[in-house]
Amino acid sequence: MSPDAVERRSGAARAIFIAGLCLTALVCAGLGVWQVQRLSWKLDLIARVEARLKAPPVAAPGPAEWNGITAAADEYRRVTLQGRYLDAPETLAMAVTERGPGFWVLAPFRADAGFTVLVNRGFVPKEQRAPEDRRKIPGSEAKLVGLLRPSEPGGGFLRSNDPVAGRWYSRDVTAIAQARQLGAVAPYFIDADAATEPGPLPQGGMTQVAFRNTHLVYALTWFCLALMSAGAVAYLVGARPKELQAD
């Protein structure tokens, strides 16, 4: 192959490599901008949830409001409910908490307003899952205070709920209501607070309200990669082919 042909081939490969670096810089910069936008969204979400947690409780939404309930607008809202627990079996849903693995204890509650809602009474460890190991459901009129949580349909990560076997990996209120023959229930459940369910078992007030926020780290990483790619492009464009060969 002649020297001219070798030089032309080298120039073409160099141009393709520079184009690839330009594309890499643009993609990394775009991902950095996206992470900045995600950071803004996450900070706004955290601020809204913190405001809900500090607000005084409001009446739990009734049937007329169910269609308008969304996680973005209502999750972690403090609510209160007056009524009594139904004489029906409780349901245990798998839980992983700061106290280790165990179960959430879900019980149906009939509000004085005329609707049924599942109440997460709190946490019990695996070795204390038997009904006799936890406080009995109050048989009289009760007032609940807790956090509104949207239903969790389907199951957990890589595990589906099995109503027939009584294995619940998520708090799917519709499926639980069907399995327990409860009829129509609210499309949400209520995490009872520690005052409503003081323990020792079940232990209320253990809702995990924490949001992983690593968007700033990711944004800086992508911007650094974009800057490095752009620097490599500037070097290659400014350098002469002979200088590159010498290097």
Side-chain angles (χ1 to χ4, degrees):
M1 185 179 293
S2 66
D4 290 342
V6 172
E7 187 174 348
R8 285 195 299 272
R9 177 173 292 184
S10 176
R14 181 167 172 265
I16 293 173
F17 185 63
I18 290 174
L21 284 175
C22 289
L23 180 61
T24 299
L26 289 173
V27 171
C28 290
L31 290 171
V33 171
W34 176 65
Q35 286 295 337
V36 170
Q37 294 172 341
R38 292 283 295 171
L39 174 63
S40 176
W41 168 81
K42 183 62 68 68
L43 292 176
D44 178 65
L45 172 64
I46 292 172
R48 284 187 282 116
V49 169
E50 288 180 345
R52 292 172 194 167
L53 294 174
K54 295 176 182 177
V58 298
E65 304 169 87
W66 288 354
N67 288 336
I69 293 175
T70 64
D74 300 290
E75 188 167 20
Y76 301 113
R77 189 179 302 282
R78 295 185 69 216
V79 295
T80 183
L81 197 62
Q82 188 85 24
R84 66 176 61 240
Y85 284 101
L86 297 178
D87 183 16
E90 295 175 311
T91 300
L92 301 181
M94 290 289 293
V96 178
T97 72
E98 59 188 16
R99 294 177 57 177
F103 299 92
W104 300 119
V105 181
L106 299 167
F109 188 90
R110 185 69 177 178
D112 288 343
F115 62 91
T116 302
V117 61
L118 285 180
V119 174
N120 176 17
R121 298 184 61 207
F123 173 79
V124 294
K126 279 187 174 182
E127 61 275 11
Q128 295 176 287
R129 61 186 295 179
E132 57 269 19
D133 290 333
R134 56 182 180 263
R135 192 166 66 93
K136 292 183 179 181
I137 288 178
S140 58
E141 189 84 359
K143 182 178 181 180
L144 306 178
V145 177
L147 301 180
L148 186 150
R149 306 291 308 281
S151 180
E152 301 168 344
F157 181 67
L158 297 179
R159 294 184 294 185
S160 299
N161 292 326
D162 187 351
V164 176
R167 296 191 185 97
W168 299 95
Y169 301 103
S170 72
R171 292 162 289 189
D172 185 339
V173 298
T174 301
I176 292 174
Q178 291 176 348
R180 298 298 190 189
Q181 298 181 345
L182 299 176
V185 298
Y188 60 84
F189 60 93
I190 296 175
D191 279 347
D193 64 11
T196 300
E197 289 287 353
L201 294 177
Q203 178 60 61
M206 290 187 61
T207 305
Q208 299 178 51
V209 187
F211 299 95
R212 188 168 178 265
N213 188 9
T214 56
H215 298 298
L216 180 59
V217 174
Y218 289 148
L220 292 175
T221 300
W222 288 120
F223 284 138
C224 285
L225 290 173
L227 187 60
M228 292 169 61
S229 300
V233 169
Y235 173 75
L236 292 172
V237 169
R240 297 177 180 177
K242 292 184 177 180
E243 292 177 351
L244 294 175
Q245 293 175 4
D247 290 345

